[in-house]
Amino acid sequence: MRKFVVFGCAAALVLFASASAFAGGSKEQGNAAGGQIVLATNNAPEGNGIAQALRQWGQMKGIKVEIVDAPYSNIYEKEVLDLSQGTGLYDIVLLDDPWFTQFAENKWLTNLTPYFTAMGQGGLSSDFIDKSQAICKYPYASGLIYAFPAVGNAQMFFFRKDILAQYNLPTGPATWDDVYNVGKKISDSGGGNLYGYALRGQQGNPVVADFMPLFWSFGAKMFSDDFTQVTLNTPQALNAVNFLAKLVSIAPPGSASFDADQLAQYELEGNVAMMINWPAFAASFSDPTKSKVVGKVGYSAIPSEATIGSSEIGNWLAAIPAAAKNKQGAFDFLQWATSASEQKDMALKFGNPPTRKSVFADADLLAQPQFSYFPVLAQAMGNSTPRPRIANWNEVENTFGIYLSKVVAGTMSPQDALAGAQTDITALMKKAGYIK
Amino acid sequence: MDSKRLSRWSDRNLKYLLLAPTIVLLLMLTVYPLVFALAASLQTVSVRTGERSFVGLANFASIFSDGLFWNALGNTAVYTGVGVSVEFALGLAFALILSESFLGRGLFRTIFLAPMMLPPIVVAITFKVIYMQKYGVSNWLLGLIGIKGMLWESGPQTALFSLILVDIWEWTPFMLLILLAGLQSLPAEPYEAAKVDGASWLQAFRHVTFPLLTPAILIAVLLRLMDTLRIFDQVFVMTGGGPANSTETLSLYVYQAGFRFNNVGYATAMSFVLLVLTTVVSNVFISRLRAEEVFTQ
């Protein structure tokens, strides 16, 4: 008995000592948070731009700042862990647009509307592109403001001007039929060194992100407007997936594992004529140290088919967690960091596309060749479509991605893939409570 | 308390006092997470509101009807079975060669052991570049002998085996290391007796080397089995589970369910299944190992 008492006393002492140490730590943090701003961001150019701005802000205001960065594949789970537990570790989180609905619906983010009101502003500046403003609101477009559109992004159609000019399409293909017909001729005559079209077929987010513009162009939709029905069992959806299979036949072998960087590699080496990709790669195409196609790459809107082509919007948003310790400081910084002058600075230093109309029209930037795609991107963002605004998009996207990957890999027919996706995604929507 | 009593008290209890911090720390790091995980596996968390609800064994029941789970289990089984078998065969062959004396043996040993020193993430990224269909060195080398267009990790039929090849490249040295250590610790007398009896090299290997080496073999295979059953890094970096779900392993599926889809309860339930599976497989080897120890004693 005695040994248990001794052991218990010793254990209690250890626990007490540990608890005291932790309590001391949190008190210190609390004091420091008076002016401190902690940012969680991904360690890619878009995140590095905001991080650099925060360091500059810290020097200007004489406050301590801290950057917590992680690769894209890890930053989501880092942020979810903090937000869902309400630890208040971060004052600002940089988040990819598809995560926004989950974050806002779970009430993990701070409603920014009162902060704008306190400054005598009605909300986000009208200088921000309308579609970029819309994805910062919950519910979509009409609700309260929970984020700033920090970095602009939307897919564009990339094409080789010199090659398509030979097929009388100097400004790019207008329809998906043009893409296939010209692409087939290019692949057939390319001898394995030049392909008409390249696609991101990697399972998960890449294949879905690459496919959605095509899907929408064929007049298909994944859900009814109120998300109570999955609508993958339509003729439009089948036409789109059948067309995807046709595009695979003219794409380089191995498309089933391609992501955006592999596509960019094919473009840089001059081995592909057309693709959908993100603007982040545009600057490298005009860099002679990396590119064999300097001055030969053109940009256009997504081709149309049954409806006007529309790209997927993929802005990076900056939000303030509901449990953040320095909300006003974070808000003031974000107002400044998303101003026109700062967005121009980030474009020049990091190549980050802006979200403001005035920066897209900035004469200094437009005069530089690496920003030649700005007018097309501004148009693409203005005419973009968001991913479905549902909290379980990650899981839905993964499920759809598995079936699309099977089509790209040639192990499943488009009909079977859509039937399987319809069943599985309906089950996911029921589990999440969207479908009763 | 006089000094004599204090000394007696100290003799009796000091050991517990000194042990207490370690045991408390161990309980915090092992027992608490296990209990927490068990509790989580009996709950479900709404992806929309974060609300938790108790669902009993429903998460475990869902596993049986989840095609993705069975696909991941099948891929994991193939990965483990093929990978560990080839690693064992190659590791043993190299160990037998390197246990002999020849010029440059030390250099060869260092070269053979190098892959296992590299972080798995670095190996995965490197092989992703090597496997690139058009620009990778693997297809360029195959092209020199007339083989063209190998899809490697891009093909649904070849992707899993391409990943296994990476595992074999990186972890055969581990087998080699343990088996070589085992070979070098074998006594010389049985070999001398076998030689006197006129045994051939093959007979000596089969009737002397292999039985004496069995404990080392069991340890090497057991450690690799436990590692490959929870393979994650290479799959995550190189294929993400594709193409066509042909490389999704159990660990990757658990990670996705828990961290990407926020199905923490279901992910934890699957983790327990993986834990049971690993424990069962390990126990087969551990019990054999115990028998061997008894035998050798």
Side-chain angles (χ1 to χ4, degrees):
Chain A
M1 183 64 193
R2 180 192 289 259
K3 66 183 174 192
F4 286 115
V5 172
V6 173
F7 182 80
C9 289
L13 199 67
V14 170
L15 280 176
F16 178 73
S18 312
S20 306
F22 280 114
S26 57
K27 190 178 174 191
E28 195 181 329
Q29 266 189 346
N31 287 339
Q36 179 176 322
I37 299 175
V38 184
L39 164 71
T41 179
N42 68 324
N43 54 12
E46 57 270 14
N48 297 342
I50 296 290
Q52 176 63 33
L54 182 58
R55 285 190 199 97
Q56 197 183 332
W57 177 258
Q59 283 173 355
M60 280 163 52
K61 298 290 175 184
I63 58 168
K64 194 178 165 194
V65 301
E66 192 180 330
I67 318 291
V68 179
D69 62 359
Y72 182 81
S73 53
N74 299 115
I75 193 67
Y76 168 79
E77 61 213 47
K78 248 182 190 307
E79 291 180 355
V80 167
L81 203 61
D82 170 66
L83 297 170
S84 62
Q85 300 306 310
T87 55
L89 198 60
Y90 311 127
D91 298 301
I92 301 167
V93 287
L94 197 70
L95 59 119
D96 197 3
D97 147 60
W99 312 338
F100 176 77
T101 307
Q102 183 196 1
F103 288 13
E105 198 161 325
N106 275 280
K107 300 185 173 60
W108 292 342
L109 305 179
T110 300
N111 170 19
L112 302 180
T113 310
Y115 291 85
F116 283 112
T117 308
M119 294 188 75
Q121 298 172 1
L124 288 165
S125 163
S126 58
D127 190 27
F128 286 113
I129 287 176
D130 295 348
K131 290 284 173 74
S132 296
Q133 289 189 49
I135 58 173
C136 291
K137 295 176 182 174
Y138 176 77
Y140 175 69
S142 62
L144 300 169
I145 304 162
Y146 286 93
F148 283 86
V151 182
N153 215 4
Q155 294 159 317
M156 299 189 301
F157 195 84
F158 293 48
F159 64 95
R160 282 280 297 277
K161 290 184 287 189
D162 54 329
I163 296 171
L164 264 66
Q166 297 168 24
Y167 295 90
N168 298 319
L169 296 171
T171 55
T175 67
W176 281 105
D177 274 338
D178 288 343
V179 174
Y180 177 74
N181 293 333
V182 171
K184 184 164 179 5
K185 287 175 190 164
I186 295 168
S187 289
D188 288 348
S189 59
N193 279 320
L194 181 62
Y195 294 91
Y197 187 79
L199 57 93
R200 294 164 70 196
Q202 192 179 96
Q203 185 173 310
N205 164 275
V207 70
V208 179
D210 201 67
F211 175 67
M212 292 310 276
L214 174 70
F215 186 67
W216 292 322
S217 293
F218 276 74
K221 286 173 71 179
M222 193 179 270
F223 300 106
S224 58
D225 289 341
D226 57 0
F227 300 112
T228 57
Q229 278 184 314
V230 181
T231 53
L232 289 171
N233 54 357
T234 61
Q236 292 90 337
L238 184 59
N239 288 341
V241 182
N242 276 330
F243 196 85
L244 172 70
K246 277 173 72 175
L247 287 176
V248 173
S249 70
I250 60 167
S255 296
S257 69
F258 285 5
D259 199 355
D261 49 348
Q262 276 107 327
L263 261 61
Q265 187 68 31
Y266 268 80
E267 186 79 70
L268 287 166
E269 294 290 330
N271 296 128
V272 68
M274 294 177 280
M275 65 172 70
I276 289 176
N277 215 332
W278 298 102
F281 296 101
S284 61
F285 298 148
S286 54
D287 179 351
T289 62
K290 297 177 184 167
S291 171
K292 293 180 180 171
V293 290
V294 176
K296 293 178 180 174
V297 180
Y299 310 97
S300 71
I302 302 294
S304 303
E305 197 64 33
T307 60
I308 300 290
S310 172
S311 53
E312 187 178 82
I313 195 166
N315 285 188
W316 279 88
L317 313 179
I320 302 171
K325 289 173 184 148
N326 188 4
K327 292 186 182 183
Q328 187 61 53
F331 180 84
D332 293 342
F333 164 69
L334 290 176
Q335 276 271 67
W336 174 79
T338 56
S339 64
S341 60
E342 279 311 296
Q343 288 208 342
K344 181 178 174 181
D345 194 47
M346 281 185 226
L348 286 165
K349 284 180 183 160
F350 297 94
N352 286 348
T355 51
R356 285 178 174 267
K357 298 166 197 165
S358 61
V359 185
F360 272 116
D362 187 279
D364 289 345
L365 295 177
L366 290 174
Q368 301 182 37
Q370 69 264 35
F371 299 117
S372 62
Y373 66 90
F374 264 25
V376 175
L377 179 59
Q379 191 193 356
M381 282 171 63
N383 188 37
S384 62
T385 305
R387 289 135 163 133
R389 314 306 283 175
I390 50 175
N392 60 340
W393 172 246
N394 274 353
E395 192 168 13
V396 167
E397 182 182 55
N398 183 68
T399 303
F400 195 35
I402 290 171
Y403 284 104
L404 289 178
S405 171
K406 289 180 177 177
V407 172
V408 173
T411 60
M412 191 176 263
S413 71
Q415 291 90 336
D416 291 346
L418 280 176
Q422 172 79 21
T423 306
D424 289 359
I425 293 173
T426 301
L428 292 177
M429 295 301 278
K430 279 183 181 167
K431 191 175 81 175
Y434 289 104
I435 298 177
K436 303 295 176 195
Chain B
M1 196 185 285
D2 57 48
S3 63
K4 230 176 198 177
R5 283 179 63 195
L6 183 66
S7 169
R8 272 208 308 274
W9 187 90
S10 162
D11 283 349
R12 271 202 308 270
N13 299 317
L14 186 63
K15 56 194 173 205
Y16 302 118
L17 277 170
L18 293 174
L19 271 177
T22 311
I23 291 176
V24 168
L25 204 64
L26 269 175
L27 288 174
M28 281 167 65
L29 293 176
T30 57
V31 178
Y32 172 71
L34 202 67
V35 173
F36 182 84
L38 192 64
S41 71
L42 305 176
Q43 298 174 35
T44 184
V45 183
S46 166
V47 71
R48 299 177 68 186
T49 62
E51 280 175 23
R52 291 170 185 275
S53 43
F54 180 77
V55 292
L57 296 173
N59 284 326
F60 290 91
S62 302
I63 290 173
F64 292 100
S65 57
D66 183 359
L68 294 178
F69 173 85
W70 292 106
N71 172 67
L73 183 66
N75 289 338
T76 308
V78 172
Y79 190 99
T80 302
V82 176
V84 176
S85 303
V86 177
E87 283 162 23
F88 167 65
L90 288 176
L92 183 59
F94 286 128
L96 288 168
I97 294 168
L98 290 177
S99 65
E100 300 295 326
S101 292
F102 59 88
L103 188 67
R105 186 174 71 160
L107 180 68
F108 277 110
R109 277 186 190 176
T110 310
I111 292 170
F112 275 126
L113 294 181
M116 130 183 140
M117 311 294 178
L118 298 169
I121 293 284
V122 173
V123 172
I125 292 170
T126 308
F127 268 87
K128 199 173 176 182
V129 176
I130 289 172
Y131 281 157
M132 277 180 81
Q133 217 277 333
K134 189 165 179 64
Y135 310 111
V137 72
S138 56
N139 274 357
W140 177 78
L141 285 171
L142 288 178
L144 296 178
I145 54 168
I147 301 172
K148 287 190 177 169
M150 180 83 171
L151 285 177
W152 299 105
E153 95 288 16
S154 307
Q157 285 83 27
T158 52
L160 189 60
F161 293 97
S162 301
L163 293 182
I164 293 171
L165 198 61
V166 178
D167 199 88
I168 290 168
W169 180 83
E170 184 169 21
W171 294 111
T172 295
F174 177 79
M175 287 276 190
L176 163 68
L177 191 69
I178 294 183
L179 298 178
L180 186 61
L183 279 172
Q184 292 187 334
S185 67
L186 297 185
E189 293 82 1
Y191 288 96
E192 287 162 5
K195 204 173 178 183
V196 169
D197 292 343
S200 66
W201 180 88
L202 198 63
Q203 284 170 321
F205 174 75
R206 191 179 157 195
H207 298 292
V208 180
T209 309
F210 204 82
L212 289 175
L213 198 60
T214 303
I217 292 172
L218 287 172
I219 287 169
V221 172
L222 171 67
L223 292 175
R224 285 304 303 139
L225 274 176
M226 285 161 63
D227 244 9
T228 50
L229 279 171
R230 51 193 172 84
I231 183 72
F232 177 81
D233 323 47
Q234 285 157 8
V235 188
F236 181 72
V237 171
M238 293 179 69
T239 64
N245 236 14
S246 60
T247 60
E248 182 150 275
T249 56
L250 268 184
S251 294
L252 182 67
Y253 188 38
V254 168
Y255 162 79
Q256 286 180 329
F259 290 100
R260 305 299 300 176
F261 314 148
N262 303 102
N263 297 336
V264 178
Y266 187 56
T268 319
M270 287 194 291
S271 300
F272 273 104
V273 172
L274 184 59
L275 178 70
V276 169
L277 191 72
T278 312
T279 310
V280 168
V281 173
S282 306
N283 270 334
V284 171
F285 282 81
I286 289 168
S287 56
R288 181 71 204 278
L289 207 54
R290 283 194 184 128
E292 284 294 324
E293 279 170 3
V294 169
F295 177 73
T296 51
Q297 279 166 8

